[in-house]
Every structure is written in structure tokens, then in C-alpha cells.
């Protein structure tokens, strides 16, 4: 038998599966949590506790490393001006990183915002970002409130649009002119 004959005798091609009807908007996943924040299932509480402990331990380890770096400056006898400048730099950078990270949990940055310009500063003040994650994870997943608000709004909008589409629009009577 040739290949053409075998193809003719094979089972007919099954129709392509149709896309399921839209069931509504999908929740946006959160880093470390996925979509478990929606129903607080799938180990949500354990993940939140792990994130709180992990971010606190990382911040403590980073602070210890900065202390060692400061002691290195003291051993190097670089002078009080440089030693104080380094401490002030890290304190200001950490405060700004904390504020920007905390702010990002409550609102999305504007597309033309200065977030890209602050990446370096946030990298220097990473202890502030870690501490913001620690504090937020004590009450909720970081960014959960923002995403929950957006998700609820999207669900409400979807339901409103779905309920408005009842019946066959072609079968409707034409509107009377006044």
C-alpha cells in the first residue's frame, strides 16, 4: 500500500476543538503566591509566613553584611567623613526603596513614571525593600489588595457585559421612530 492509500483509510480528522465560552476574567498571579491569593488556598498562609520569615532573615543578613563593610572602612582608616557618608547613603537609599516598594503594593506605576530611574537606588537600598515585603506579608500577600480590587472590578464588569447580552439581537423588533 502506498502512503496515499494509508491516509485514505485512516480515521477521519476530528474537528478542531472549539474554544470554551469565556468564564470571566482570570486573576493576575502574584510572585511567590500564584493565584492562591484569590481564595487563600493552596498553602497561602504557609507561603505568607515563609515570605515574612525569608524577607526578614534576608534583611538581617544584609544589614550584617553592611556592618562588616562599615567595619572594613573603619579598619582601612578612611576617615569619619567617608564612614558617615556611607551610612547616610545607605540609610537614605533604604528609606526611598522602602517607600517606593510600599507604594507599589497599593497602586500601579504610571507608564512614564520614574521607576526605571530609581532601579539603581532601590538596588542600593535593598534592605528597605526587604523590610517592606516583611511588613506587608504580615497582613496580606504583597500587592494582594491592589490585585483583588482590580479582579473584583473586572468580574463585575464582565458580569455586567454578559447580562446585557440576552437574546438574539436579530430577532428584536426595530425601534419605533418618534
Amino acid at each position: 500500500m502506498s502512503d496515499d492509500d494509508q491516509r485514505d483509510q485512516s480515521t477521519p480528522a476530528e474537528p478542531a476543538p472549539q474554544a470554551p465560552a469565556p468564564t470571566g476574567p482570570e486573576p493576575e498571579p502574584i510572585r511567590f503566591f500564584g493565584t492562591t491569593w484569590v481564595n487563600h488556598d493552596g498553602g497561602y498562609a504557609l507561603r505568607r509566613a515563609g515570605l515574612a520569615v525569608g524577607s526578614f532573615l534576608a534583611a538581617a543578613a544584609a544589614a550584617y553584611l553592611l556592618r562588616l563593610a562599615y567595619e572594613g572602612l573603619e579598619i582601612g582608616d578612611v576617615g569619619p567623613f567617608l564612614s558617615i557618608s556611607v551610612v547616610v547613603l545607605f540609610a537614605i537609599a533604604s528609606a526611598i526603596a522602602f517607600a517606593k516598594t510600599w507604594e507599589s503594593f497599593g497602586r500601579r506605576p504610571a507608564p512614564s513614571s520614574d521607576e526605571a530611574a530609581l532601579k539603581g537606588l532601590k538596588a542600593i537600598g535593598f534592605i528597605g525593600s526587604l523590610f517592606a515585603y516583611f511588613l506587608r506579608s504580615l497582613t496580606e500577600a504583597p500587592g494582594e489588595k491592589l490585585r483583588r480590587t482590580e479582579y473584583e472590578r473586572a468580574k463585575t464588569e464582565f458580569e455586567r457585559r454578559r447580562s446585557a447580552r440576552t437574546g438574539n439581537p436579530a430577532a428584536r423588533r426595530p425601534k419605533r421612530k418618534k
Side-chain angles (χ1 to χ4, degrees):
M1 257 184 175
S2 70
D3 289 334
D4 292 333
D5 292 337
Q6 287 179 350
R7 274 187 252 141
D8 291 340
Q9 293 178 359
S10 64
T11 59
E14 294 182 23
Q18 295 179 350
T23 58
E26 294 293 320
E28 183 180 352
I30 297 176
R31 183 184 307 156
F32 305 120
F33 293 93
T35 57
T36 61
W37 60 269
V38 177
N39 298 320
H40 292 189
D41 59 353
Y44 171 81
L46 187 62
R47 290 178 191 204
R48 224 177 80 202
L51 182 65
V53 169
S55 60
F56 183 77
L57 289 177
Y64 182 72
L65 288 175
L66 286 177
R67 179 176 176 245
L68 290 177
Y70 179 76
E71 288 178 1
L73 290 174
E74 289 296 315
I75 291 171
D77 197 28
V78 294
F81 177 75
L82 186 58
S83 297
I84 293 172
S85 296
V86 168
V87 170
V88 169
L89 168 76
F90 275 102
I92 291 172
S94 291
I96 292 171
F98 177 88
K100 290 297 182 180
T101 303
W102 191 265
E103 185 179 289
S104 72
F105 296 146
R107 67 171 179 84
R108 297 218 183 250
S112 63
S113 71
D114 58 348
E115 290 296 317
L118 292 176
K119 277 188 176 183
L121 189 63
K122 286 173 78 173
I124 293 170
F126 62 99
I127 294 175
S129 291
L130 289 170
F131 196 62
Y133 264 89
F134 166 70
L135 289 178
R136 181 59 85 166
S137 62
L138 293 176
T139 57
E140 67 177 7
E144 177 181 348
K145 184 177 180 182
L146 171 67
R147 285 176 176 80
R148 187 171 300 282
T149 303
E150 291 173 349
Y151 178 61
E152 294 296 329
R153 186 180 317 122
K155 278 182 19 181
T156 304
E157 180 74 19
F158 178 80
E159 289 302 320
R160 186 183 59 77
R161 283 183 282 144
R162 293 292 294 172
S163 65
R165 292 192 228 159
T166 57
N168 182 356
R172 291 186 188 154
R173 292 183 180 174
K175 292 183 180 178
R176 291 195 288 175
K177 294 182 181 179
K178 294 183 179 182

